[in-house]
Amino acid sequence: MKNCRFGVFGFPVSHSLSPAMHTAAFNALGMTDCEYKAYAVEPENLKEAILKAQAEGFGGLNLTIPLKEKIFETDLIIPDAFAEKAGAVNTLTFKDGRIYGYNTDAAGAFAALEEAGCQTDGKKILIVGAGGASKSISLFFAERGNSVKIINRTAEKAQRLADEIAEKTGNSNVSGSGFESGWNDLKEADIIIQTTELGMGKYEDVSLFDKLPLLKTEQKEEMIRSCVSKKTVFDIVYNPEETTFLKESKAAGAETMNGMMMLVFQGALAFEIWTGKKPDIGVMRKAVSDALL
Ligand code: ATR
């Protein structure tokens, strides 16, 4: 057994790309004594599994679905301010008998946008979806002072989330609604971030554009062009195949990006929290794209 141990807890977790990504990062830094593995941990066993990892001297852990929120029920961790507000933790460290919690997902999304050359300062951001991923990303940009509009299939969920974020950040330019005003919301936005499961492997690959009400179907292509042309459209899904939503956006002249670099950067930020070292982003990216093939 290696004496520098890391891992990801999730349920299910077998599909996780994190072991390949972190192992490549450790190897590239010559940290061959370190290992990173995926562990299937059922939500009801989370507390016990974390305490076991702590007792065994783990250096740190990632948490993924459905444990990011569940961790708050264990009373084990000291979350940082952002993770506390987001109500979700994806990174744990063990230090001096204490367990600290962080959330690197939204900072990963931000780093991916920056790397793609997308300037976000002062931009109007449209977030599609009102689940956990939307919450972290919306909160992150609201804290940075961006105008944030959240649209979601279930309008009340978007409104509730927007109200919560506006209250937590003091940013009054945060609002939420259903899909009924979707075309107009797309038109007004500078950057569009799709956070729902639409287009993910196990779901049918229906584009967001097909969920928005149109008077006539023939208008669709023209509407897409007038709404997204020359804008950044970011879909946090990281299928090897681009989602229909991204393909349609690209065809209409948008700068498009998928979730692969968000995955890489959230991992890189966790790696830095654990080790104090900056991992090689190119090596991590290659490990993820090879694993996706
Ligand atoms: P996550 O934590 O991954 O963000 P989640 O909390 O399960 O996921 O939230 C899923 C999001 O995807 C929600 O915004 C959900 O919309 P509803 O709030 O209306 O349920 C959205 N979603 C899932 N399937 C969808 C579909 N077929 N069409 C539109 N939105 C969908």
Side-chain angles (χ1 to χ4, degrees), residues 65 69 129-134 152-154 157 179 195-198 211:
I65 290 165
E69 285 100 5
S134 165
N152 191 46
R153 174 176 62 181
T154 314
K157 240 172 111 181
F179 284 159
T195 71
T196 77
E197 293 145 351
L198 283 172
K211 300 264 168 186

Side-chain angles (χ1 to χ4, degrees), residues 10 23 31 46 51 69 72 81 177 214 222 250 258 276 285 291:
T23 301
M31 298 167 75
L46 179 61
L51 289 172
E69 285 100 5
F72 285 94
S177 71
L214 270 178
E222 183 43 39
K250 192 182 271 176
N258 69 19
R285 178 207 316 244

